[in-house]
Amino acid sequence: DEAAEALARSLVVAEGLRTPDDGRRARVLGLLASVAQSKGEYARAGDYVQRAQVIHRTAGTESPVWVEVLNVAAQQRWFEGRLGESRQ
């Protein structure tokens, strides 16, 4: 719970610093998704993953942050039972 609270505060800061290709928000969202997944809160994790992916698509940038987001997205699909999609 402490991790989720700290990350939620980080997200507020990152959203205040928005730039068109800002990966900070995507990274924090990915971390929030990981925390939610570890707590079994898969619906919440899915929301974070979707938000991170929207940032990724909008920015159209390739960086290690996006790899982290894609890994969390694959894990999310696996948790949701969409095994075939988790490999994409």
Side-chain angles (χ1 to χ4, degrees), residues 29 32-53 72-73 75-82:
L29 288 165
L32 281 165
S34 291
V35 170
Q37 288 170 345
S38 71
K39 294 165 62 175
E41 298 173 353
Y42 302 120
R44 181 181 303 226
D47 291 340
Y48 291 136
V49 166
Q50 287 178 344
R51 289 174 61 192
Q53 288 181 312
V72 172
Q75 289 174 336
Q76 181 64 27
R77 290 181 187 118
W78 185 81
F79 287 131
E80 293 172 351
R82 301 183 307 169

Side-chain angles (χ1 to χ4, degrees), residues 11-22:
L11 182 60
V12 169
V13 171
E15 287 184 338
L17 302 172
R18 284 188 187 189
T19 63
D21 62 341
D22 191 358

